[in-house]
Coordinates of all heavy atoms in Angstrom, one line a residue:
H33 N -95.9 -28.2 -3.1 CA -94.6 -28.7 -2.8 C -94.7 -29.9 -2.0 O -95.3 -30.0 -1.0 CB -93.8 -27.5 -2.0 CG -93.9 -26.2 -2.6 ND1 -93.1 -26.0 -3.8 CD2 -94.6 -25.1 -2.5 CE1 -93.3 -24.7 -4.2 NE2 -94.2 -24.2 -3.4
V34 N -94.0 -31.0 -2.6 CA -94.2 -32.3 -2.0 C -92.8 -32.8 -1.6 O -91.9 -32.7 -2.4 CB -94.8 -33.2 -3.1 CG1 -94.9 -34.8 -2.6 CG2 -96.2 -32.8 -3.5
L35 N -92.7 -33.5 -0.5 CA -91.6 -34.2 -0.1 C -91.8 -35.6 -0.1 O -92.8 -36.2 0.5 CB -91.2 -33.7 1.4 CG -90.1 -34.6 2.1 CD1 -88.8 -34.6 1.3 CD2 -89.9 -34.2 3.5
C36 N -91.0 -36.5 -0.8 CA -91.0 -37.9 -0.9 C -89.8 -38.4 -0.1 O -88.7 -38.1 -0.5 CB -90.9 -38.4 -2.3 SG -92.3 -38.0 -3.3
V37 N -90.1 -39.1 1.0 CA -89.0 -39.6 1.8 C -88.7 -41.1 1.5 O -89.6 -42.0 1.7 CB -89.3 -39.5 3.3 CG1 -88.2 -40.1 4.2 CG2 -89.6 -38.1 3.7
G38 N -87.6 -41.4 0.9 CA -87.2 -42.7 0.4 C -86.9 -42.7 -1.0 O -87.6 -42.4 -1.9
G39 N -85.6 -43.2 -1.3 CA -85.1 -43.1 -2.6 C -85.0 -44.3 -3.4 O -84.5 -44.4 -4.6
R40 N -85.6 -45.4 -2.9 CA -85.7 -46.7 -3.7 C -86.7 -46.6 -4.7 O -87.2 -45.6 -5.1 CB -85.7 -47.8 -2.7 CG -84.5 -47.8 -1.8 CD -84.0 -49.2 -1.4 NE -84.0 -50.2 -2.4 CZ -84.1 -51.4 -2.1 NH1 -84.0 -51.9 -0.8 NH2 -84.1 -52.4 -2.9
A41 N -87.3 -47.7 -5.0 CA -88.2 -47.9 -6.2 C -89.5 -47.0 -5.9 O -89.8 -46.2 -6.7 CB -88.6 -49.3 -6.4
S42 N -90.1 -47.1 -4.7 CA -91.3 -46.4 -4.5 C -91.1 -44.8 -4.5 O -91.9 -44.1 -5.0 CB -92.0 -46.9 -3.2 OG -91.2 -46.6 -2.1
G43 N -90.0 -44.4 -3.8 CA -89.7 -43.0 -3.8 C -89.5 -42.4 -5.2 O -89.9 -41.3 -5.4
S44 N -88.5 -43.0 -5.9 CA -88.1 -42.4 -7.2 C -89.4 -42.6 -8.2 O -89.6 -41.6 -8.9 CB -87.0 -43.2 -7.8 OG -87.1 -44.5 -7.9
D45 N -90.2 -43.6 -8.1 CA -91.4 -43.7 -9.0 C -92.3 -42.6 -8.7 O -92.9 -41.9 -9.5 CB -92.0 -45.1 -8.9 CG -91.3 -46.2 -9.6 OD1 -90.4 -45.8 -10.4 OD2 -91.6 -47.3 -9.5
L46 N -92.7 -42.4 -7.4 CA -93.7 -41.4 -7.0 C -93.2 -40.0 -7.2 O -93.9 -39.2 -7.8 CB -93.9 -41.5 -5.5 CG -94.9 -42.7 -5.1 CD1 -95.0 -42.9 -3.6 CD2 -96.3 -42.4 -5.7
A47 N -91.9 -39.7 -7.0 CA -91.4 -38.4 -7.3 C -91.5 -38.1 -8.7 O -91.9 -37.0 -9.2 CB -89.9 -38.3 -6.8
R48 N -91.2 -39.0 -9.6 CA -91.3 -38.8 -11.1 C -92.7 -38.6 -11.5 O -93.0 -37.6 -12.2 CB -90.8 -40.1 -11.8 CG -90.7 -39.8 -13.3 CD -90.4 -41.1 -14.1 NE -91.3 -42.1 -14.0 CZ -91.1 -43.3 -13.3 NH1 -89.9 -43.5 -12.7 NH2 -92.0 -44.2 -13.1
E49 N -93.6 -39.4 -11.0 CA -95.0 -39.2 -11.3 C -95.7 -37.9 -10.8 O -96.4 -37.2 -11.5 CB -95.9 -40.4 -10.8 CG -95.6 -41.7 -11.5 CD -95.9 -41.7 -12.9 OE1 -96.9 -41.1 -13.3 OE2 -95.2 -42.4 -13.7
I50 N -95.3 -37.6 -9.6 CA -95.8 -36.3 -8.9 C -95.3 -35.1 -9.6 O -96.0 -34.1 -9.6 CB -95.6 -36.4 -7.4 CG1 -96.3 -37.5 -6.7 CG2 -95.9 -35.0 -6.7 CD1 -95.9 -37.7 -5.3
S51 N -94.0 -35.2 -10.1 CA -93.4 -33.9 -10.6 C -94.1 -33.4 -11.8 O -94.1 -32.1 -12.1 CB -91.9 -34.3 -11.1 OG -91.9 -35.1 -12.2
A52 N -95.0 -34.2 -12.5 CA -95.8 -33.6 -13.6 C -96.9 -32.8 -13.1 O -97.5 -32.1 -13.9 CB -96.3 -34.8 -14.4
H53 N -97.3 -32.8 -11.8 CA -98.4 -32.2 -11.3 C -98.1 -31.2 -10.1 O -99.0 -30.4 -9.8 CB -99.5 -33.2 -10.8 CG -99.8 -34.2 -11.8 ND1 -100.6 -33.9 -12.9 CD2 -99.4 -35.5 -12.0 CE1 -100.7 -35.0 -13.6 NE2 -100.0 -36.0 -13.2
A54 N -97.0 -31.3 -9.5 CA -96.6 -30.5 -8.3 C -95.7 -29.3 -8.8 O -94.9 -29.4 -9.8 CB -96.0 -31.4 -7.3
A55 N -95.8 -28.2 -8.0 CA -94.8 -27.1 -8.3 C -93.4 -27.5 -8.1 O -92.5 -27.1 -8.9 CB -95.2 -25.9 -7.5
S56 N -93.1 -28.3 -7.1 CA -91.8 -28.9 -6.8 C -91.9 -30.2 -6.1 O -92.8 -30.4 -5.3 CB -90.9 -27.9 -6.1 OG -91.4 -27.6 -4.8
V57 N -90.9 -31.0 -6.2 CA -90.8 -32.3 -5.4 C -89.4 -32.3 -4.8 O -88.5 -32.1 -5.5 CB -91.0 -33.4 -6.4 CG1 -91.0 -34.7 -5.6 CG2 -92.4 -33.4 -7.0
V58 N -89.3 -32.7 -3.6 CA -88.0 -33.0 -3.0 C -88.0 -34.5 -2.7 O -89.0 -35.0 -2.0 CB -87.8 -32.2 -1.6 CG1 -86.6 -32.6 -0.9 CG2 -87.8 -30.7 -1.9
L59 N -87.0 -35.1 -3.2 CA -86.8 -36.5 -2.9 C -85.7 -36.7 -1.9 O -84.4 -36.5 -2.2 CB -86.5 -37.3 -4.2 CG -86.3 -38.8 -4.1 CD1 -87.4 -39.6 -3.5 CD2 -85.9 -39.4 -5.5
S60 N -85.9 -37.1 -0.7 CA -85.0 -37.4 0.3 C -84.5 -38.7 0.2 O -85.1 -39.7 0.4 CB -85.7 -37.1 1.7 OG -84.8 -37.3 2.8
V61 N -83.2 -38.8 0.0 CA -82.4 -40.1 -0.2 C -81.3 -40.3 0.8 O -80.8 -39.3 1.3 CB -82.0 -40.3 -1.7 CG1 -83.1 -40.1 -2.6 CG2 -80.9 -39.2 -1.9
S62 N -80.8 -41.5 0.9 CA -79.8 -41.8 1.8 C -78.8 -42.9 1.0 O -79.5 -43.9 0.6 CB -80.2 -42.4 3.1 OG -79.1 -42.7 3.9
P63 N -77.6 -42.6 0.8 CA -76.8 -41.5 1.3 C -77.2 -40.2 0.5 O -77.8 -40.3 -0.5 CB -75.4 -41.9 1.0 CG -75.5 -42.9 -0.1 CD -76.8 -43.6 0.0
A64 N -76.6 -39.1 1.0 CA -77.0 -37.9 0.3 C -76.3 -37.8 -1.0 O -75.4 -38.5 -1.3 CB -76.3 -36.7 1.2
P65 N -76.8 -36.9 -1.9 CA -76.2 -36.8 -3.3 C -74.8 -36.5 -3.2 O -74.3 -35.9 -2.2 CB -77.1 -35.7 -3.9 CG -78.3 -35.7 -3.2 CD -77.9 -36.1 -1.8
K66 N -74.0 -36.9 -4.2 CA -72.6 -36.5 -4.2 C -72.3 -35.1 -4.0 O -73.0 -34.2 -4.5 CB -71.9 -37.0 -5.4 CG -71.9 -38.5 -5.6 CD -71.1 -38.9 -6.8 CE -71.4 -40.4 -7.0 NZ -70.4 -41.3 -7.0
G67 N -71.3 -34.7 -3.1 CA -71.0 -33.4 -2.9 C -71.8 -32.8 -1.7 O -71.6 -31.7 -1.2
G68 N -72.8 -33.5 -1.2 CA -73.7 -33.1 -0.2 C -74.7 -32.1 -0.5 O -75.6 -31.8 0.3
A69 N -74.7 -31.5 -1.6 CA -75.6 -30.4 -1.9 C -76.8 -30.9 -2.7 O -76.8 -32.0 -3.2 CB -74.9 -29.3 -2.9
A70 N -77.9 -30.2 -2.7 CA -79.1 -30.6 -3.4 C -78.7 -30.6 -4.9 O -78.0 -29.9 -5.4 CB -80.1 -29.6 -3.1
T71 N -79.4 -31.6 -5.5 CA -79.2 -31.8 -7.0 C -80.6 -31.8 -7.6 O -81.5 -32.4 -7.1 CB -78.5 -33.1 -7.3 OG1 -77.3 -33.2 -6.6 CG2 -78.3 -33.3 -8.8
A72 N -80.8 -31.0 -8.6 CA -82.1 -30.9 -9.2 C -82.2 -31.7 -10.6 O -81.2 -31.6 -11.4 CB -82.5 -29.5 -9.5
L73 N -83.3 -32.3 -10.7 CA -83.6 -33.0 -12.0 C -85.0 -32.5 -12.5 O -86.0 -33.1 -12.0 CB -83.7 -34.5 -11.8 CG -82.3 -35.2 -11.3 CD1 -82.5 -36.6 -10.8 CD2 -81.2 -35.1 -12.4
G74 N -85.0 -31.5 -13.2 CA -86.3 -30.9 -13.6 C -86.8 -30.1 -12.4 O -86.1 -29.3 -11.8
N75 N -88.1 -30.4 -11.9 CA -88.6 -29.9 -10.8 C -88.5 -30.8 -9.5 O -89.1 -30.5 -8.4 CB -90.0 -29.3 -10.9 CG -91.0 -30.5 -11.0 OD1 -90.7 -31.6 -11.4 ND2 -92.2 -30.2 -10.8
V76 N -87.6 -31.7 -9.6 CA -87.3 -32.8 -8.5 C -85.9 -32.4 -7.9 O -85.0 -32.5 -8.7 CB -87.4 -34.2 -9.0 CG1 -87.0 -35.1 -7.8 CG2 -88.8 -34.5 -9.5
A77 N -85.8 -32.1 -6.6 CA -84.5 -31.8 -6.0 C -84.2 -33.1 -5.2 O -85.1 -33.5 -4.3 CB -84.6 -30.5 -5.1
L78 N -83.0 -33.6 -5.4 CA -82.5 -34.6 -4.5 C -81.9 -34.1 -3.3 O -81.0 -33.2 -3.4 CB -81.5 -35.5 -5.3 CG -82.0 -36.2 -6.4 CD1 -80.9 -37.0 -7.2 CD2 -83.1 -37.2 -6.1
R79 N -82.2 -34.6 -2.1 CA -81.7 -34.1 -0.9 C -81.3 -35.2 0.0 O -81.6 -36.4 -0.3 CB -82.7 -33.3 -0.1 CG -83.2 -32.1 -0.7 CD -82.1 -30.9 -0.8 NE -81.5 -30.6 0.5 CZ -81.9 -29.7 1.3 NH1 -82.9 -28.9 1.0 NH2 -81.2 -29.5 2.4
G80 N -80.4 -35.1 1.0 CA -80.0 -36.1 1.9 C -81.1 -36.6 2.8 O -82.2 -36.2 2.8
R81 N -80.7 -37.6 3.7 CA -81.7 -38.2 4.6 C -82.5 -37.1 5.4 O -81.9 -36.0 5.9 CB -80.8 -39.1 5.5 CG -81.7 -39.7 6.6 CD -80.9 -40.4 7.7 NE -80.1 -41.5 7.0 CZ -80.4 -42.7 7.0 NH1 -81.5 -43.1 7.5 NH2 -79.6 -43.6 6.5
T82 N -83.7 -37.3 5.6 CA -84.6 -36.5 6.4 C -84.2 -36.7 7.8 O -84.2 -37.8 8.3 CB -86.1 -36.8 6.2 OG1 -86.4 -36.5 4.8 CG2 -87.0 -35.9 7.1
L83 N -83.8 -35.7 8.5 CA -83.3 -35.7 10.0 C -84.5 -35.4 11.0 O -84.7 -36.1 11.9 CB -82.2 -34.7 10.2 CG -80.9 -35.0 9.4 CD1 -79.8 -33.9 9.7 CD2 -80.4 -36.4 9.7
K84 N -85.2 -34.3 10.7 CA -86.4 -33.9 11.6 C -87.3 -32.9 10.9 O -86.9 -32.3 10.0 CB -85.8 -33.3 12.8 CG -85.1 -31.9 12.6 CD -84.6 -31.3 13.9 CE -84.1 -30.0 13.7 NZ -83.8 -29.3 15.0
V85 N -88.4 -32.8 11.6 CA -89.3 -31.7 11.2 C -89.5 -30.9 12.4 O -89.8 -31.4 13.5 CB -90.8 -32.3 10.8 CG1 -91.7 -31.3 10.4 CG2 -90.5 -33.3 9.6
D86 N -89.2 -29.6 12.4 CA -89.2 -28.8 13.5 C -90.7 -28.3 13.8 O -91.6 -28.5 13.0 CB -88.2 -27.6 13.3 CG -88.5 -26.6 12.3 OD1 -89.6 -26.4 11.9 OD2 -87.5 -25.9 11.8
E87 N -90.8 -27.5 14.9 CA -92.1 -27.1 15.2 C -92.8 -26.3 14.3 O -94.1 -26.2 14.2 CB -92.1 -26.3 16.6 CG -91.7 -27.3 17.8 CD -91.5 -26.5 19.1 OE1 -91.8 -25.3 19.1 OE2 -91.1 -27.2 20.0
G88 N -92.0 -25.5 13.4 CA -92.6 -24.6 12.4 C -93.0 -25.4 11.1 O -93.5 -24.8 10.1
G89 N -92.7 -26.8 11.0 CA -93.0 -27.4 9.9 C -91.9 -27.6 8.9 O -92.1 -28.2 7.8
A90 N -90.7 -27.0 9.2 CA -89.6 -27.0 8.3 C -88.9 -28.4 8.4 O -88.6 -28.9 9.5 CB -88.6 -26.0 8.6
V91 N -88.5 -29.0 7.3 CA -87.8 -30.3 7.3 C -86.3 -30.1 7.0 O -85.9 -29.3 6.1 CB -88.4 -31.2 6.1 CG1 -87.8 -32.5 6.1 CG2 -89.9 -31.3 6.2
H92 N -85.6 -30.7 7.9 CA -84.1 -30.5 8.0 C -83.6 -31.8 7.4 O -84.0 -33.0 7.7 CB -83.6 -30.3 9.4 CG -84.1 -29.0 9.9 ND1 -83.4 -27.9 9.8 CD2 -85.3 -28.7 10.5 CE1 -84.1 -26.9 10.4 NE2 -85.3 -27.4 10.8
F93 N -82.5 -31.7 6.6 CA -81.9 -32.8 5.9 C -80.4 -33.0 6.3 O -79.8 -32.1 6.7 CB -82.0 -32.6 4.3 CG -83.3 -32.4 3.8 CD1 -83.9 -31.1 3.6 CD2 -84.2 -33.5 3.6 CE1 -85.2 -30.9 3.2 CE2 -85.5 -33.3 3.1 CZ -85.9 -32.0 3.0
G94 N -79.9 -34.1 6.0 CA -78.5 -34.5 6.4 C -77.4 -34.1 5.5 O -76.3 -34.3 5.7
D95 N -77.8 -33.4 4.4 CA -76.8 -32.9 3.4 C -76.3 -31.5 3.7 O -75.6 -31.0 3.0 CB -77.5 -32.9 1.9 CG -78.7 -32.0 1.8 OD1 -79.0 -31.2 2.7 OD2 -79.4 -32.2 0.8
G96 N -76.8 -30.9 4.9 CA -76.3 -29.6 5.2 C -77.0 -28.3 4.5 O -76.7 -27.3 4.8
G97 N -77.8 -28.7 3.5 CA -78.5 -27.6 2.9 C -79.7 -26.9 3.7 O -79.9 -27.4 4.8
P98 N -80.3 -25.9 3.1 CA -81.4 -25.3 3.8 C -82.6 -26.2 4.1 O -82.8 -27.1 3.3 CB -81.7 -24.1 2.9 CG -81.3 -24.5 1.6 CD -80.0 -25.5 1.7
P99 N -83.3 -26.0 5.1 CA -84.5 -26.7 5.3 C -85.6 -26.4 4.2 O -85.5 -25.4 3.6 CB -85.0 -26.3 6.7 CG -84.4 -25.0 7.0 CD -83.1 -24.9 6.1
A100 N -86.6 -27.3 4.1 CA -87.7 -27.2 3.1 C -89.0 -27.2 3.9 O -89.0 -27.7 5.0 CB -87.6 -28.3 2.1
T101 N -90.0 -26.6 3.4 CA -91.3 -26.6 4.0 C -92.3 -27.0 3.1 O -93.0 -26.3 2.3 CB -91.6 -25.0 4.5 OG1 -90.6 -24.6 5.3 CG2 -92.9 -25.1 5.4
P102 N -92.4 -28.4 2.9 CA -93.4 -28.9 1.9 C -94.9 -28.8 2.4 O -95.1 -28.7 3.6 CB -93.0 -30.4 1.9 CG -92.4 -30.6 3.2 CD -91.7 -29.4 3.6
D103 N -95.7 -28.8 1.5 CA -97.2 -28.9 1.8 C -97.7 -30.3 2.2 O -98.5 -30.5 3.0 CB -98.0 -28.4 0.6 CG -97.7 -26.9 0.3 OD1 -97.7 -26.1 1.2 OD2 -97.5 -26.7 -1.0
V104 N -96.9 -31.3 1.5 CA -97.3 -32.7 1.8 C -96.0 -33.5 1.9 O -95.0 -33.3 1.2 CB -98.1 -33.2 0.5 CG1 -98.3 -34.7 0.7 CG2 -99.3 -32.5 0.3
M105 N -96.1 -34.5 2.9 CA -94.9 -35.4 3.0 C -95.4 -36.8 2.7 O -96.5 -37.3 3.2 CB -94.3 -35.4 4.4 CG -93.6 -34.2 4.7 SD -93.0 -34.2 6.6 CE -91.9 -35.5 6.4
I106 N -94.7 -37.6 1.9 CA -95.2 -38.9 1.6 C -94.0 -39.8 2.0 O -92.9 -39.7 1.6 CB -95.4 -39.1 0.0 CG1 -96.6 -38.2 -0.4 CG2 -95.8 -40.5 -0.2 CD1 -96.8 -38.2 -1.8
F107 N -94.3 -40.8 2.8 CA -93.2 -41.7 3.2 C -93.2 -42.9 2.3 O -94.2 -43.7 2.3 CB -93.5 -42.2 4.7 CG -93.3 -41.2 5.7 CD1 -94.3 -40.3 6.1 CD2 -92.0 -40.8 6.1 CE1 -94.1 -39.3 7.0 CE2 -91.8 -39.8 7.0 CZ -92.8 -39.0 7.4
C108 N -92.2 -43.1 1.5 CA -92.2 -44.0 0.4 C -91.4 -45.2 0.9 O -90.2 -45.4 0.5 CB -91.5 -43.4 -0.8 SG -92.3 -41.8 -1.3
T109 N -92.1 -46.1 1.6 CA -91.5 -47.3 2.2 C -91.9 -48.6 1.5 O -91.7 -49.7 2.0 CB -91.8 -47.4 3.7 OG1 -93.2 -47.4 3.8 CG2 -91.2 -46.2 4.4
G110 N -92.4 -48.4 0.3 CA -93.2 -49.3 -0.4 C -92.6 -50.7 -1.0 O -92.8 -51.7 -0.4
Y111 N -92.0 -50.7 -2.0 CA -91.8 -52.0 -2.8 C -90.5 -52.1 -3.4 O -89.7 -51.1 -3.7 CB -93.0 -52.1 -3.9 CG -93.0 -51.0 -4.8 CD1 -92.2 -51.0 -5.9 CD2 -93.8 -49.9 -4.5 CE1 -92.3 -50.0 -6.8 CE2 -93.9 -48.9 -5.4 CZ -93.1 -48.9 -6.6 OH -93.1 -47.8 -7.4
D112 N -90.1 -53.3 -3.8 CA -89.0 -53.5 -4.6 C -89.5 -54.2 -5.9 O -90.5 -54.9 -5.9 CB -88.0 -54.5 -4.0 CG -87.2 -53.9 -2.9 OD1 -86.8 -52.7 -3.0 OD2 -87.0 -54.5 -1.9
Y113 N -88.7 -54.0 -7.0 CA -89.2 -54.7 -8.2 C -88.9 -56.2 -8.1 O -87.9 -56.6 -7.6 CB -88.4 -54.2 -9.5 CG -88.8 -52.7 -9.7 CD1 -87.9 -51.7 -9.6 CD2 -90.0 -52.3 -10.3 CE1 -88.2 -50.3 -9.9 CE2 -90.4 -51.1 -10.5 CZ -89.5 -50.0 -10.4 OH -89.8 -48.8 -10.7
D114 N -89.8 -57.0 -8.6 CA -89.7 -58.5 -8.6 C -90.4 -59.0 -9.8 O -91.5 -58.7 -10.1 CB -90.3 -59.0 -7.4 CG -90.1 -60.4 -7.2 OD1 -89.0 -60.9 -7.7 OD2 -90.9 -61.2 -6.6
F115 N -89.6 -59.8 -10.6 CA -90.2 -60.4 -11.8 C -89.9 -61.9 -11.6 O -89.1 -62.6 -12.2 CB -89.5 -59.9 -13.0 CG -89.5 -58.4 -13.1 CD1 -88.5 -57.7 -12.8 CD2 -90.7 -57.8 -13.7 CE1 -88.5 -56.2 -12.9 CE2 -90.8 -56.5 -13.9 CZ -89.7 -55.6 -13.5
P116 N -90.8 -62.6 -10.8 CA -90.7 -64.1 -10.5 C -90.8 -64.9 -11.8 O -90.5 -66.1 -11.7 CB -91.7 -64.3 -9.5 CG -92.7 -63.2 -9.6 CD -92.0 -62.0 -10.1
F117 N -91.5 -64.4 -12.8 CA -91.7 -65.2 -13.9 C -90.5 -65.3 -14.8 O -90.5 -66.0 -15.8 CB -93.0 -64.6 -14.7 CG -92.9 -63.2 -15.0 CD1 -92.2 -62.7 -16.1 CD2 -93.4 -62.3 -14.1 CE1 -92.1 -61.3 -16.4 CE2 -93.3 -60.9 -14.4 CZ -92.6 -60.4 -15.5
I118 N -89.4 -64.4 -14.5 CA -88.2 -64.5 -15.3 C -87.2 -65.3 -14.5 O -86.9 -65.0 -13.4 CB -87.7 -63.1 -15.6 CG1 -88.7 -62.3 -16.5 CG2 -86.3 -63.2 -16.3 CD1 -88.2 -60.8 -16.7
K119 N -86.8 -66.5 -15.1 CA -85.9 -67.4 -14.4 C -84.5 -67.0 -14.6 O -84.1 -66.3 -15.6 CB -86.2 -68.8 -14.9 CG -87.5 -69.4 -14.8 CD -87.9 -69.5 -13.4 CE -89.3 -70.1 -13.3 NZ -90.1 -69.7 -12.2
E120 N -83.7 -67.2 -13.6 CA -82.2 -66.8 -13.7 C -81.6 -67.5 -15.0 O -80.8 -66.9 -15.7 CB -81.5 -67.3 -12.4 CG -80.1 -67.0 -12.4 CD -79.9 -65.4 -12.2 OE1 -80.8 -64.8 -11.6 OE2 -78.9 -64.9 -12.8
E121 N -82.0 -68.8 -15.3 CA -81.4 -69.4 -16.5 C -81.9 -68.9 -17.7 O -81.4 -69.2 -18.8 CB -81.6 -70.9 -16.3 CG -82.9 -71.4 -16.1 CD -83.4 -71.4 -14.6 OE1 -82.7 -71.1 -13.7 OE2 -84.6 -71.7 -14.4
S122 N -82.9 -67.9 -17.7 CA -83.3 -67.3 -19.0 C -82.4 -66.3 -19.6 O -82.5 -66.0 -20.7 CB -84.7 -66.5 -18.7 OG -85.7 -67.2 -18.2
N123 N -81.4 -65.9 -18.7 CA -80.4 -64.9 -19.1 C -79.5 -65.6 -20.2 O -78.8 -65.3 -21.0 CB -79.7 -64.4 -18.1 CG -79.0 -63.1 -18.3 OD1 -79.1 -62.6 -19.3 ND2 -78.2 -62.7 -17.4

């Protein structure tokens, strides 16, 4: 069970790749998914912002749903897509 914290390019890419090998993946995003509840895409669950990890290792989210207890947490603070070789005037 894997928690990816960060829903931009690095978080969504890692969650997608890891989902082929992990029992479950939680992708913590901000803002929370519409309706505030967890949303599942295959074995990837979208959850709200990670608020805290308690003493027992449970991770609490800002969407009001139940806490999760992942085996691994990955902080996905990585990268944005950039294609400097494509010029604006190419469009």
